[in-house]
Amino acid sequence: MAEKESTKQQQWDSTMSQSQFMERDTVLVLSNSDIVTGSASKKSSHVFDAAQPRGILHRAFSVFLFDSSTSELLLQKRASTKITFPNVWTNTCCSHPLHGMEPGEVDGPEDVKEGSVVGVKNAAVRKLEHELGIPVGELKVEEFKFLTRLHYWAADTVTHGKKSPWGEHEIDYVLFITIPSKDGLTLKPHPDEVDDVKWVTQSKLLEMFDDTNLLFSPWFRLITKKWMIGNGEAGGGGWWDDLDRTMKTNDFCDYGTIHRFDPPSEHMGGGGDAGPMFDEEEKKEVGNVTVGDSSKKQGAYGKVKTHKESKLKQILHLDEVWSAITLLYLQPLESNLSSEAIKKTFDPSDLAFCDDILCKVSRSFAAVIRQLPSQMLVDVLIFYLVLRALDTIEDDMTFFETNEEKVKILLSFHKTALIDPKWTLMGCGEGDERRLLEEFPKCHSVYAALPEASRRVISDITLRMATGMAEFVDKDLGQGTIDVSQYNRYCHFVAGLVGEGLSRLFSVSGLEQPSLAGELHLSDQMGLFLQKTNIIRDYLEDYVDGRAFWPQSVWKKYSASGDLGYFANPTTQESKTAGLNCLNELVTDALELAPDCLSYLSKLRCAEVFRFCAIPQVMAIATLEKCYHNGDVFTGVVKIRKGMSCQLINDTTDIFGVHGIFNRFASSIIDKANKMRHKGEHNDPSYERTIKACRTIIELTEFEAKKAANHASLVNGTVIAASCAAAVASCFAIKSPNNNSLAITTTTATATMASFGILSFFKTGFMNYLGKRTASSSSLLLPAAKICKKK
């Protein structure tokens, strides 16, 4: 407890000056839908200039404290030393919840939905003590009533002039609280915060509003006129008219709507010359909807931007362009779902649904599942959908009334959804994930027709994964996992068990050796490698969603605010450097799993199974290389180029190609690390560990990587030579009437490019031919058909 208190004092000190508060307080940066997307200093969020005409949207609260015996409201006059809106009368207390506080002050969407917002209330208690001297404990957190939210902005033009460099842009949480009598309230206003206090009745406040010599905060006027006094702008009875009803019922509570308001004309302008933000159409668009297309994916998917290279940059990678054309049109991954054995075994309508929903709920696995041999394709497809359904239940943070209810559904899933052919769950999840649960009987129909051995594997892994998920339901993951051990444990439950289940399915199919089912450690490490890559890449999405997984024992070494959001959308060089150091350590932690992944792949004998396992692994190593020392991770989602993805798929046909890919990206990470170190721009604490992990990968893959490189050099040389020859030949065949050198040059360039393009189409086939020749003597990979024929 003492340690926590010490941390708190380090993060927030009530004796700081106004300038220090502006520099050190870390506010909650928001999306328009009130999702926490990062952090910013109090100063930077309140600056109004050309770069950010309305500052940075952040979270705030407004407390209204009433004496229930007289219905009087306590006002404060903000001190003249305040930087924003000094000398104005306003409600009892208005300020910001902050990152890194103890007790915590960050609320998620589920807290708003249920109206608890304990984080905002904790912030209110902290600031009431600071500004007005009301001791912590005199006003209890549970006594505050959360009513609604408003999104407003206002330049402080009254204080600082039309070009004011300061202003407010907030989503403000309105909190009411009553006390039996003001006589029992401790009030010791802080002179740097408050110049005066006053208890007022409704009539007295309206008199003050009419006094042109008095200044009022724009948010206080807005709330009062809109909702507090009857027959105001909202019509009907006001919150202040019947305090007993307001405090004891939910008649006035509106948790679902974020009310949007532009300021009065005198508060427009500022350093960025900001004009109206919310016209009627825009209010409808951003009203109370969620940013992003929530109909497609649940959680925070789509709510933060994705970093992509421009189309021009992508096109300049010609080898990737040809890879995409090859994969999409010339040599696509073939689906084996139409095989006769599958048609005879499963209901075609239900199987069609499973295939369709697989493509919609899976971002990357649909194509690699479909190319599996018919002996096990449907087994893996259903395995994926069952676990996706389970994951949807775990991810939904608002559907269940209590965590106990969610845990009950999770733990019984294997004996309800997998036993009862009519089981469904209506209304859980979003978009296609919801549809999967609501039409689950179609999945059950296909599951029930699987071999008994496959069903046993799927049921067992489902129960064990659900048990692991249930363990984490009650854990507060808003700030990530506690330590690396818990981080690994979570990854084991949601991904390592998937690896084990797949190994067992491969074995029972007969396409892989029975011993593979016993490779529990390697199977687990394969899953952890993929899951950790996703967690690293999805930092901002997960943080926005309120369920993050970066281990606190790692990131707290780098976060100056003591909050995981410190790295999100960084505004200072200090926070940028700290974020990169943290990111590099986690990337290195994932890279250390690569040797076990390569060891697992070397034990496979079925070509289709090998490709199914290898493709996600090469995507992961490419993603880790992209994320390493990349600040874009903290402002959006980083993804590799689509053309590169196609190239990786094309090259993942045998162990030589896989080793070449791992070697290539490990070498690239070393180059990045050395470049930063030699420039002296960045002193990475994980540098030595990173280099060691990458060198281990390089040593393991060097032999096969050299063979792959030799093949590539031979093919590239052949293609280039043939292209040039074709171009020269075409030029001799063309007669220019004026012997125009420009025309000949243009023709030569065009012919060369065309020839290069045409001959590049044959590159993949040539590579495969060379690979197969080498593989025939040094690789044990065989197509499923040959394995079955041998039996």
Side-chain angles (χ1 to χ4, degrees):
M1 189 67 181
E3 184 180 350
K4 282 189 176 181
E5 191 64 29
S6 172
T7 300
K8 175 182 175 181
Q9 292 303 319
Q10 180 183 352
Q11 301 305 332
W12 197 81
D13 181 358
S14 61
T15 65
M16 291 189 296
S17 67
Q18 290 295 317
S19 295
Q20 288 174 320
F21 281 129
M22 292 294 278
E23 293 285 354
R24 299 182 187 178
D25 278 0
T26 308
V27 300
L28 279 57
V29 175
L30 305 174
S31 68
N32 280 332
S33 56
D34 194 27
I35 301 295
V36 178
T37 61
S39 61
S41 70
K42 187 176 177 183
K43 178 181 178 180
S44 64
S45 64
H46 289 79
V47 169
F48 277 38
D49 59 18
Q52 48 182 53
R54 299 181 187 86
I56 300 173
L57 179 62
H58 56 278
R59 187 170 290 170
F61 62 83
S62 289
V63 174
F64 294 76
L65 172 61
F66 297 89
D67 178 341
S68 59
S69 66
T70 62
S71 291
E72 289 176 301
L73 168 65
L74 178 62
L75 304 184
Q76 69 155 280
K77 184 180 181 184
R78 289 165 65 89
S80 59
T81 55
K82 298 283 281 187
I83 294 175
T84 57
F85 296 95
N87 299 311
V88 303
W89 284 96
T90 191
N91 49 287
T92 312
C93 178
C94 30
S95 190
H96 313 91
L98 303 177
H99 282 293
M101 293 293 101
E102 179 64 41
E105 297 181 0
V106 182
D107 293 300
E110 66 278 7
D111 302 306
V112 176
K113 183 178 179 180
E114 64 187 23
S116 59
V117 294
V118 175
V120 165
K121 294 174 182 179
N122 286 334
V125 169
R126 172 176 58 83
K127 286 300 290 183
L128 284 165
E129 179 187 36
H130 175 224
E131 293 186 3
L132 297 171
I134 302 174
V136 172
E138 191 165 312
L139 299 177
K140 297 193 170 18
V141 167
E142 58 269 20
E143 294 173 349
F144 286 86
K145 182 80 171 185
F146 168 46
L147 293 170
T148 194
R149 297 169 290 171
L150 63 146
H151 178 178
Y152 78 95
W153 68 278
D156 190 6
T157 51
V158 174
T159 303
H160 300 285
K162 191 65 179 172
K163 294 289 186 179
S164 169
W166 303 107
E168 288 285 6
H169 188 187
E170 304 173 328
I171 293 182
D172 193 12
Y173 284 53
V174 181
L175 303 175
F176 268 34
I177 188 168
T178 60
I179 55 174
S181 171
K182 56 181 169 289
D183 297 333
L185 183 70
T186 304
L187 271 181
K188 296 179 181 178
H190 194 303
D192 285 345
E193 297 288 335
V194 179
D195 275 353
D196 197 5
V197 295
K198 186 188 294 287
W199 291 92
V200 297
T201 61
Q202 281 193 19
S203 58
K204 179 61 179 175
L205 178 59
L206 293 175
E207 286 179 19
M208 292 175 69
F209 277 163
D210 290 336
D211 187 341
T212 56
N213 294 316
L214 299 179
L215 298 175
F216 289 88
S217 69
W219 62 88
F220 176 49
R221 277 187 180 272
L222 194 159
I223 294 169
T224 302
K225 292 186 174 183
K226 182 73 176 178
W227 292 298
M228 287 180 56
I229 299 176
N231 298 316
E233 292 181 17
W239 300 339
W240 195 354
D241 297 335
D242 190 343
L243 286 175
D244 196 54
R245 179 185 173 196
T246 301
M247 298 303 296
K248 294 182 179 179
T249 74
N250 290 332
D251 292 352
F252 296 118
C253 296
D254 182 0
Y255 306 144
T257 306
I258 302 173
H259 305 274
R260 320 273 178 177
F261 302 98
D262 281 314
S265 57
E266 64 267 25
H267 284 291
M268 290 194 183
D273 293 320
M277 180 178 182
F278 302 116
D279 58 28
E280 289 306 312
E281 287 305 311
E282 191 168 359
K283 282 183 186 178
K284 291 176 185 176
E285 267 187 46
V286 301
N288 59 353
V289 299
T290 303
V291 175
D293 190 354
S294 62
S295 68
K296 292 183 179 177
K297 297 286 181 183
Q298 69 183 73
Y301 182 74
K303 297 175 187 174
V304 299
K305 67 180 178 181
T306 298
H307 291 290
K308 296 180 180 179
E309 293 186 20
S310 68
K311 290 183 178 179
L312 177 59
K313 283 186 176 181
Q314 294 190 54
I315 291 172
L316 291 178
H317 293 271
L318 293 178
D319 53 341
E320 294 179 7
V321 173
W322 304 132
S323 291
I325 293 172
T326 300
L327 183 64
L328 293 174
Y329 302 107
L330 300 179
Q331 293 180 335
L333 291 175
E334 297 289 346
S335 173
N336 290 315
L337 268 177
S338 58
S339 72
E340 288 301 318
I342 290 177
K343 288 180 180 178
K344 291 177 181 178
T345 307
F346 304 100
D347 180 278
S349 175
D350 292 339
L351 185 61
F353 167 81
C354 292
D355 182 42
D356 176 65
I357 204 72
L358 171 71
C359 298
K360 291 178 177 176
V361 301
S362 169
R363 301 186 197 179
S364 54
F365 285 114
V368 291
I369 289 175
R370 285 166 157 181
Q371 63 88 44
L372 282 168
S374 59
Q375 296 94 321
M376 61 179 304
L377 190 165
V378 180
D379 311 56
V380 174
L381 187 157
I382 293 299
F383 183 47
Y384 180 89
L385 290 180
V386 167
L387 298 185
R388 188 68 182 140
L390 196 69
D391 186 58
T392 301
I393 295 170
E394 183 213 16
D395 281 349
D396 196 314
M397 305 302 293
T398 59
F399 176 74
F400 299 96
E401 293 291 333
T402 64
N403 282 341
E404 290 76 13
E405 182 184 351
K406 177 187 281 191
V407 168
K408 182 179 178 181
I409 295 292
L410 287 171
L411 294 180
S412 64
F413 191 86
H414 72 292
K415 55 186 179 183
T416 53
L418 298 185
I419 299 296
D420 181 359
K422 296 182 179 179
W423 182 92
T424 61
L425 186 61
M426 309 300 290
C428 181
E430 296 178 356
D432 293 310
E433 282 86 355
R434 175 181 293 190
R435 183 178 165 219
L436 171 61
L437 288 171
E438 292 183 348
E439 299 185 47
F440 198 80
K442 296 176 181 177
C443 293
H444 181 277
S445 164
V446 180
Y447 167 80
L450 292 175
E452 182 183 353
S454 295
R455 284 187 278 118
R456 278 200 304 268
V457 171
I458 294 172
S459 179
D460 176 56
I461 297 297
T462 300
L463 171 60
R464 291 163 61 194
M465 182 179 288
T467 302
M469 288 177 171
E471 179 182 314
F472 281 83
V473 163
D474 283 322
K475 296 186 187 300
D476 180 5
L477 293 173
Q479 293 294 303
T481 50
I482 298 298
D483 51 30
V484 174
S485 176
Q486 191 182 75
Y487 175 47
N488 290 339
R489 186 168 176 81
Y490 176 80
C491 291
H492 163 72
F493 283 131
V494 301
L497 286 175
V498 178
E500 178 187 333
L502 288 171
S503 294
R504 290 166 62 185
L505 288 174
F506 299 157
S507 293
V508 300
S509 72
L511 295 175
E512 295 295 344
Q513 299 288 355
S515 60
L516 189 68
E519 295 288 353
L520 301 183
H521 175 72
L522 295 183
S523 301
D524 184 67
Q525 299 300 84
M526 286 261 292
L528 264 64
F529 186 61
L530 300 182
Q531 186 66 22
K532 287 188 174 184
T533 299
N534 290 338
I535 286 173
I536 292 166
R537 180 198 63 194
D538 295 342
Y539 159 81
L540 192 57
E541 275 191 353
D542 289 340
Y543 180 72
V544 166
D545 204 30
R547 294 188 78 242
F549 305 98
W550 283 25
Q552 295 179 30
S553 61
V554 174
W555 67 254
K556 280 191 174 180
K557 293 188 292 186
Y558 306 103
S559 172
S561 70
D563 190 273
L564 181 56
Y566 176 73
F567 312 117
N569 298 303
T571 56
T572 65
Q573 187 57 46
E574 179 186 10
S575 59
K576 290 176 183 178
T577 300
L580 291 173
N581 286 340
C582 182
L583 172 64
N584 292 348
E585 180 171 343
L586 290 173
V587 168
T588 301
D589 172 73
L591 287 170
E592 290 169 343
L593 298 169
D596 283 336
C597 299
L598 294 170
S599 178
Y600 180 93
L601 292 174
S602 70
K603 295 180 181 297
L604 300 175
R605 64 173 183 174
C606 176
E608 294 93 334
V609 171
F610 175 88
R611 205 169 194 199
F612 170 82
C613 295
I615 288 173
Q617 300 297 316
V618 298
M619 297 295 180
I621 189 74
T623 300
L624 288 174
E625 188 272 343
K626 183 79 171 178
C627 289
Y628 181 77
H629 205 78
N630 187 347
D632 286 347
V633 170
F634 303 109
T635 59
V637 177
V638 172
K639 292 192 175 182
I640 61 176
R641 295 183 299 274
K642 290 184 178 179
M644 178 184 285
S645 296
C646 295
Q647 187 179 58
L648 294 175
I649 292 172
N650 289 338
D651 291 347
T652 308
T653 56
D654 55 34
I655 199 69
F656 302 104
V658 171
H659 279 214
I661 291 167
F662 270 76
N663 190 285
R664 164 190 166 192
F665 288 113
S667 300
S668 176
I669 292 173
I670 287 179
D671 290 343
K672 285 184 181 181
N674 286 333
K675 184 178 180 181
M676 291 300 108
R677 193 174 182 85
H678 292 156
K679 282 186 174 181
E681 297 175 355
H682 193 88
N683 185 20
D684 184 1
S686 301
Y687 171 81
E688 298 293 343
R689 185 180 166 195
T690 305
I691 297 299
K692 181 180 178 181
C694 290
R695 282 179 177 163
T696 300
I697 295 171
I698 291 170
E699 289 170 5
L700 288 172
T701 58
E702 193 167 13
F703 178 74
E704 286 82 0
K706 282 183 178 179
K707 286 190 175 182
N710 289 338
H711 292 168
S713 298
L714 174 60
V715 172
N716 287 336
T718 302
V719 169
I720 291 171
S723 298
C724 293
V728 171
S730 64
C731 289
F732 278 116
I734 297 173
K735 293 182 179 180
S736 176
N738 301 316
N739 198 27
N740 189 312
S741 60
L742 177 61
I744 293 175
T745 301
T746 303
T747 302
T748 302
T750 304
T752 301
M753 290 299 294
S755 301
F756 180 77
I758 294 169
L759 291 171
S760 291
F761 291 155
F762 298 98
K763 179 177 178 179
T764 301
F766 195 10
M767 285 288 288
N768 288 342
Y769 168 72
L770 289 174
K772 286 175 182 177
R773 288 193 63 186
T774 307
S776 64
S777 59
S778 59
S779 172
L780 298 178
L781 288 181
L782 294 171
K786 285 192 176 182
I787 294 174
C788 294
K789 191 174 181 180
K790 280 188 175 183
K791 292 182 178 181

